[in-house]
């Protein structure tokens, strides 16, 4: 399925947001997901289906002031 | 030192330390330890999907020991800041947010109107909002009225180390404020920190002057004691300035002649 992840077009097999997170090996990391503008807490990942063309943002905390 | 509060959280340290720009995680961790800070700031960014092994900053920091203060840096509008704030809160790590909205790349000075708008929205959504704002007493009052838990006027532009450009305004902000005032941005060294604390602010937020010092760990310690010195001097009350000398020994009549 074609998804837009962090601004880049990606082809990957995924049914839910949880699959996307696992695809990138981020399951155990403190990350946050936004799908088509909706912020998802980790408990929602398994129930959120992905659709072709969905815009997904995978973000995390970095150093900052 | 005397304690203070932001929202429901009692704080013992008056140092908010930023986590960017440190030469390596070890120095960062030791500098945080030396600073005695309880509040750590972070930014929110996209994960680099080509290099997910890249270690997250949180791997080196025990979340339960600190209050996290994520910022909205990178936002140019209230809408973008609100989006980043919601992402930050979804981490489950903190509902505090530093609203930081810059419309000018060269100065990174805060956009007051967008900052006020974002503060209003985020307060309604239940965030503990700490807006970064210019050293404008009226804007600070407006943000307080909008429900900000603290106001964070800049001393000078971010990362410049120019120190306090307008101590008169900072003094007015402190006089008027009913919420804590935290000087955020522009401080360069310990004397700037002492000056800020002597003006009666509740705390200071620093990143660059510690992280980019020749010895960040030592500078974190210097800043910590500067905060204490300035706070104590503020509480003790300085003498008024006078134009001419006045002898310390007094008793004119007993002078040897």
């Amino acid at each position: 399925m074609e998804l837009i992840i962090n601004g880049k077009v990606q082809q990957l097999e995924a049914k839910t947001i949880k699959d996307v997170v696992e695809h990138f090996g981020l399951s155990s990391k403190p990350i946050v997901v936004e799908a088509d503008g909706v912020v998802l807490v980790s408990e929602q990942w398994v129930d959120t289906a992905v659709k072709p063309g969905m815009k997904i943002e995978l973000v995390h905390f970095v150093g900052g002031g | 030192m005397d304690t203070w509060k932001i929202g429901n959280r009692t704080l013992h340290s008056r140092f908010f330390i930023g986590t960017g720009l440190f030469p390596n995680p070890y120095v960062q961790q030791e500098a945080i330890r030396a600073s005695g800070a309880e509040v750590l700031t972070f930014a929110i960014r996209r994960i680099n999907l080509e290099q997910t092994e890249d270690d997250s900053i949180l791997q080196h920091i025990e979340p339960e020991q600190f209050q996290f203060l994520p910022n909205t840096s990178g936002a140019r509008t209230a809408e973008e800041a609100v989006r980043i704030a919601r992402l930050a809160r979804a981490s489950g790590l903190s509902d505090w947010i530093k609203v930081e909205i810059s419309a000018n790349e060269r100065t990174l000075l805060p956009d007051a109107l967008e900052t006020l708008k974002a503060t209003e929205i985020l307060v309604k959504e239940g965030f503990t909002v700490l807006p970064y704002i210019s050293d404008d007493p009226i804007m600070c009052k407006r943000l307080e009225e909008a429900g900000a838990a603290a106001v964070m006027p800049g001393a000078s532009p971010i990362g410049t180390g120019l120190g306090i450009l307008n101590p008169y305004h900072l003094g007015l902000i402190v006089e008027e404020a009913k919420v804590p005032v935290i000087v955020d941005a522009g401080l360069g060294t310990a004397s700037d920190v002492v000056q800020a604390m002597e003006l009666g602010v509740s705390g200071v937020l620093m990143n660059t002057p510690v992280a980019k010092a020749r010895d960040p760990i030592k500078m974190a310690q210097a800043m910590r004691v500067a905060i204490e010195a300035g706070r104590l001097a503020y509480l003790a009350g300085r003498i008024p300035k006078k134009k001419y000398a006045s002898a310390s020994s007094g008793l004119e009549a007993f002078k040897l002649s």
Side-chain angles (χ1 to χ4, degrees):
Chain A
M1 187 187 301
E2 193 170 284
L3 300 168
I4 301 156
I5 304 176
N6 286 3
K8 281 189 188 150
V9 177
Q10 303 255 8
Q11 289 289 345
L12 60 102
E13 288 311 309
K15 287 193 176 66
T16 66
I17 292 293
K18 187 166 179 279
D19 299 336
V20 175
V21 173
E22 275 170 7
H23 173 85
F24 291 105
L26 297 167
S27 303
S28 59
K29 304 243 166 103
I31 70 157
V32 181
V33 181
E34 186 193 65
D36 280 343
V38 180
V39 178
L40 303 169
V41 297
S42 52
E43 293 77 37
Q44 295 172 292
W45 296 350
V46 69
D47 299 322
T48 307
V50 293
K51 315 186 278 256
M54 199 177 222
K55 285 192 179 124
I56 297 169
E57 295 287 342
L58 305 173
V59 305
H60 65 163
F61 281 37
V62 301
Chain B
M1 237 188 331
D2 54 323
T3 61
W4 59 303
K5 264 181 132 175
I6 289 190
N8 296 321
R9 175 134 188 166
T10 301
L11 297 166
H12 305 84
S13 161
R14 293 173 181 274
F15 196 165
F16 289 16
I17 193 165
T19 56
L21 306 172
F22 282 90
N24 61 58
Y26 170 77
V27 171
Q28 178 186 62
Q29 222 171 349
E30 289 304 307
I32 291 169
R33 203 191 311 272
S35 75
E38 293 164 290
V39 178
L40 305 183
T41 63
F42 294 92
I44 307 291
R45 290 290 180 273
R46 279 176 168 167
I47 294 168
N48 178 356
L49 296 173
E50 266 111 62
Q51 243 189 322
T52 49
E53 287 310 301
D54 209 0
D55 54 1
S56 151
I57 192 146
L58 296 177
Q59 284 186 359
H60 305 282
I61 291 162
E62 297 288 329
E64 52 283 353
Q65 284 180 22
F66 299 100
Q67 171 69 52
F68 286 178
L69 176 58
N71 67 39
T72 67
S73 65
R76 280 158 301 166
T77 64
E79 197 185 343
E80 288 174 9
V82 167
R83 179 187 179 205
I84 296 170
R86 288 173 183 156
L87 284 167
R89 185 162 69 176
S91 70
L93 295 167
S94 178
D95 65 358
W96 286 26
I97 191 75
K98 167 178 160 177
V99 174
E100 177 179 346
I101 305 174
S102 305
N104 183 312
E105 286 296 319
R106 200 161 59 93
T107 65
L108 295 176
L109 286 169
D111 184 317
L113 299 183
E114 295 295 315
T115 301
L116 179 61
K117 215 189 292 176
T119 299
E120 285 168 346
I121 295 167
L122 293 168
V123 166
K124 283 197 190 104
E125 293 188 10
F127 285 86
T128 298
V129 185
L130 295 87
Y132 162 59
I133 192 69
S134 294
D135 55 356
D136 176 342
I138 307 301
M139 264 322 293
C140 284
K141 186 45 80 178
R142 293 291 298 269
L143 289 164
E144 176 186 310
E145 287 164 359
V151 290
M152 305 209 293
S156 49
I158 295 170
T160 59
L162 289 171
I164 300 173
L165 295 182
N166 195 338
Y168 175 78
H169 267 194
L170 271 188
L172 284 183
I173 291 166
V174 171
E175 272 180 37
E176 298 284 326
K178 294 192 179 68
V179 293
V181 177
I182 298 156
V183 171
D184 178 6
L187 300 174
T189 186
S191 53
D192 299 335
V193 173
V194 174
Q195 189 190 9
M197 296 309 298
E198 285 175 346
L199 286 166
V201 304
S202 296
V204 293
L205 193 166
M206 290 182 284
N207 188 348
T208 311
V210 176
K212 300 298 268 182
R214 195 168 60 235
D215 182 340
I217 301 167
K218 202 168 272 175
M219 188 57 92
Q221 197 187 349
M223 298 304 200
R224 178 187 191 158
V225 294
I227 290 170
E228 269 184 55
R231 179 67 187 169
L232 287 171
Y234 170 71
L235 294 175
R238 61 153 298 150
I239 60 160
K241 291 183 182 179
K242 281 188 289 197
K243 192 169 180 189
Y244 297 110
S246 55
S248 305
S249 309
L251 299 174
E252 196 66 17
F254 295 99
K255 223 195 265 178
L256 299 174
S257 56

